[in-house]
Amino acid sequence: MEAFIHQGTSQIPRFFYGTAWKEERTATLTSDAIKAGFRAIDTANQRKHYFEEGVGAGIQMTAVPRSELFLQTKFTYARGQDHRKPYKETDSFTQQVSDSFQSSLAHLHTDYLDSYVLHGPYGTEEISEEDMETWTAMEFFHEKKKTRFLGVSNVSAAQLRDLLDAVKIKPTFVQNRCYASGGWDKEVREICKASGMLYQGFSLLTANRSELADEFITALAQKYSRTVPQIIFRFCQQVGMICLTGTTNPAHMKEDLNISDFELSDSEVVKIEAIAF
């Protein structure tokens, strides 16, 4: 399996390094990830859980040119922020997106993004007027070629369908926390497949600790002489996901990327997909 997914004329890495909850270690760990071979970095302009400026500093610590990196960040509504917001909460959503986007460019030392993601809809039930204003503001930067792709995160199947029906520029990416107990987010993944979007799965290990301990998974690890995380990441890639990992261990970074030289059988993939049922 290639290390990239072809989307039009673009090559998108199959594996992203996630930078949430790294705080003062963000720069060093981002640098470590790039040196280990990661070429896609996921962050957010949400100081509560991310240190986007640290990501930019980590990138600067490497010799990898910008053109070889895939940088993805997010716009986060005020309810998901702490007091360190990248905009004035009293401003319009259009202005909030603009201010957040511009500060992301500064944090990451770049003049364009590869992917700009709405970090979850405004409400929990539907796509709202607030979301539509926000998405339109994000579309502006796509039309100006300041971001190559748009995406949405933490979205339900119903919200995703509503968004697809309402927007002018459809998301390329959907990024969700991926639970085995929900069939590895099968309903959302099926919408993505039908609509030509790419699914990004995060918390693939931490959200599925009991499933990772299943005898079948451990037996596969022994069969293929791989770690359990390598088995899970390989499964996820074989069902079409882009995987995210946030490991802080440089050895694990290299291990996670080293999954292209073996393949699970179709029956093994089916069994893992139903591991929680």
Side-chain angles (χ1 to χ4, degrees):
M1 181 177 289
E2 285 187 82
F4 297 93
I5 297 173
H6 297 278
Q7 188 79 354
T9 59
S10 299
Q11 289 191 132
I12 298 165
R14 291 184 181 273
F15 223 134
F16 284 34
Y17 184 69
T19 60
W21 308 300
K22 304 295 191 291
E23 286 299 324
E24 72 281 354
R25 299 181 66 194
T26 299
T28 298
L29 290 170
T30 299
S31 173
D32 287 346
I34 293 172
K35 291 172 183 175
F38 282 91
R39 290 297 178 265
I41 305 296
D42 175 81
T43 187
N45 204 344
Q46 179 201 30
R47 191 60 188 87
K48 182 178 180 180
H49 295 309
Y50 293 81
F51 185 20
E52 189 181 58
E53 196 169 2
V55 172
I59 292 168
Q60 296 292 299
M61 291 163 61
T62 76
V64 176
R66 171 67 181 92
S67 60
E68 294 182 16
L69 294 175
F70 189 99
L71 301 184
Q72 174 173 278
T73 192
K74 309 177 190 79
F75 170 80
T76 309
Y77 285 118
R79 61 175 171 76
Q81 304 272 6
D82 59 17
H83 63 282
R84 296 168 290 183
K85 300 176 185 67
Y87 49 74
K88 293 180 181 179
E89 189 176 349
T90 54
D91 283 344
S92 68
F93 292 107
T94 300
Q95 187 63 50
Q96 289 178 29
V97 170
S98 181
D99 290 346
S100 186
F101 190 94
Q102 297 296 341
S103 66
S104 288
L105 294 182
H107 290 161
L108 298 172
H109 304 283
T110 185
D111 59 1
Y112 73 97
L113 298 174
D114 295 286
S115 174
Y116 197 50
V117 175
L118 175 59
H119 203 179
Y122 191 77
T124 58
E125 302 296 328
E126 59 188 10
I127 294 299
S128 65
E129 291 181 7
E130 292 87 352
D131 292 318
M132 291 309 301
E133 180 182 345
T134 297
W135 192 265
T136 299
M138 292 169 60
E139 288 179 334
F140 170 82
F141 288 106
H142 181 272
E143 290 168 343
K144 294 295 184 183
K145 302 187 183 305
K146 301 300 287 185
T147 182
R148 295 167 62 205
F149 303 106
L150 298 178
V152 61
S153 183
N154 301 304
V155 65
S156 70
Q159 289 171 321
L160 183 56
R161 290 189 188 98
D162 288 346
L163 185 68
L164 290 174
D165 287 341
V167 300
K168 180 172 65 173
I169 300 174
K170 291 177 169 51
T172 297
F173 301 110
V174 176
Q175 184 190 105
N176 274 359
R177 181 173 280 108
C178 191
Y179 293 99
S181 59
W184 304 89
D185 208 12
K186 191 168 186 178
E187 186 177 5
V188 170
R189 287 192 291 115
E190 287 178 344
I191 296 171
C192 289
K193 185 176 181 180
S195 301
M197 298 179 292
L198 298 174
Y199 181 92
Q200 301 178 6
F202 70 94
S203 295
L204 293 166
L205 306 182
T206 55
N208 302 299
R209 295 186 191 280
S210 60
E211 288 79 12
L212 267 60
D214 188 275
E215 290 181 2
F216 178 67
I217 300 296
T218 56
L220 286 178
Q222 293 178 343
K223 173 184 175 179
Y224 290 101
S225 299
R226 298 288 171 158
T227 66
V228 167
Q230 285 176 313
I231 296 297
I232 297 301
F233 291 137
R234 181 63 192 186
F235 155 73
C236 290
Q237 289 191 353
Q238 285 187 224
V239 297
M241 291 189 209
I242 291 172
C243 302
L244 276 79
T245 182
T247 182
T248 59
N249 185 317
H252 291 170
M253 292 175 184
K254 293 180 180 179
E255 285 178 356
D256 292 349
L257 289 169
N258 184 28
I259 58 173
S260 62
D261 58 349
F262 78 103
E263 186 169 340
L264 301 168
S265 71
D266 290 345
S267 62
E268 289 166 346
V269 168
V270 169
K271 192 163 183 178
I272 296 174
E273 198 160 25
I275 198 76
F277 300 99

